[in-house]
Amino acid sequence: FVELPSAVGNLTNLEYLDLYGNQLSMVPASIGRLVRLKHLDLRNNSLSSDGLPTTVGELHDLENFYLANNALTVIPPDILEMKKLRELDVANNMLTSVAVEIGGLIGLPKPK
């Protein structure tokens, strides 16, 4: 499996990060330093719930978060800190439950 180098956290002005299809098994905690990030695409990797650090909750400007086609069993509760989140894709994972609090995300469109 592949890991993203922790030096990615030094790219503090980054707004768009596309890591689609890289067989990543882990995202470093330093990802939380990308405070200007608006778009993060982690689709089609090998991420389990343990592979996402709690620091993803520090990405307060994140609007689009794509986690489809991984091995997540839960949606990280830290996502609840992302008040600007407008799009969250967790399709084709191994989710066993979804926290009811996810409905409290202000920016996400309400289901019809």
Side-chain angles (χ1 to χ4, degrees), residues 1 24-27 40-54 56 65-79 82 88-98 102:
F1 292 106
L24 294 174
S25 60
M26 184 152 235
V27 174
L40 179 56
D41 190 345
L42 293 169
R43 292 176 295 164
N44 290 30
N45 280 288
S46 300
L47 293 170
S48 68
S49 296
D50 292 337
L52 281 177
T54 58
V56 296
F65 196 11
Y66 303 113
L67 291 164
N69 302 313
N70 279 288
L72 301 175
T73 54
V74 297
I75 297 173
D78 311 290
I79 287 177
M82 299 175 181
L88 175 63
D89 183 359
V90 292
N92 297 318
N93 276 283
M94 296 182 229
L95 297 177
T96 55
S97 66
V98 176
I102 200 89

Side-chain angles (χ1 to χ4, degrees), residues 80 97-105:
L80 298 172
S97 66
V98 176
V100 69
E101 293 87 1
I102 200 89
L105 285 169

Side-chain angles (χ1 to χ4, degrees), residues 3 9 17-18 32 35 44 62-64 87-88 90 97 103 108:
E3 290 185 27
L17 182 57
D18 188 343
V35 295
N44 290 30
L62 201 64
E63 295 176 5
N64 305 303
E87 199 169 351
L88 175 63
V90 292
S97 66
L108 285 179

Side-chain angles (χ1 to χ4, degrees), residues 30-42:
S30 64
I31 196 92
R33 294 197 311 250
L34 304 181
V35 295
R36 293 186 178 158
L37 203 62
K38 294 183 184 324
H39 176 97
L40 179 56
D41 190 345
L42 293 169

